[in-house]
Amino acid sequence: MNRDEKRTRVTALRPAIFDLAERRVILPREPNGGTWIAANDCGICFALINWYRIAREPAGAIISRGEVVRALAG
């Protein structure tokens, strides 16, 4: 799973194990804490891919997509 096609993105931090909610989770991280891929101790894997072919007009506050995988993995 490739993190991003953006060549100017900063280097990610190495994968590490975290206790999130009631799960043990392994994931690499962006320096700001977000992630794009994770696996938990139930054997469930999560990956977030980019989908640029849809029009996006978010309503309300925007949450970084880097927080989505981390939240679900826990």
Side-chain angles (χ1 to χ4, degrees), residues 14-72:
R14 294 177 186 253
I17 297 173
F18 298 91
D19 291 317
L20 301 176
E22 297 182 15
R23 303 268 58 100
R24 298 224 2 126
V25 178
I26 186 166
L27 51 86
R29 294 166 291 143
E30 298 284 346
N32 67 0
T35 191
W36 61 98
I37 190 167
N40 69 22
D41 59 353
C42 288
I44 299 173
C45 299
F46 302 85
L48 186 64
I49 59 173
N50 294 329
W51 190 19
Y52 293 116
R53 294 183 184 199
I54 61 170
R56 295 174 297 220
E57 295 182 29
I62 298 173
I63 298 172
S64 170
R65 62 189 177 151
E67 297 300 317
V68 174
V69 170
R70 190 179 182 100
L72 291 173

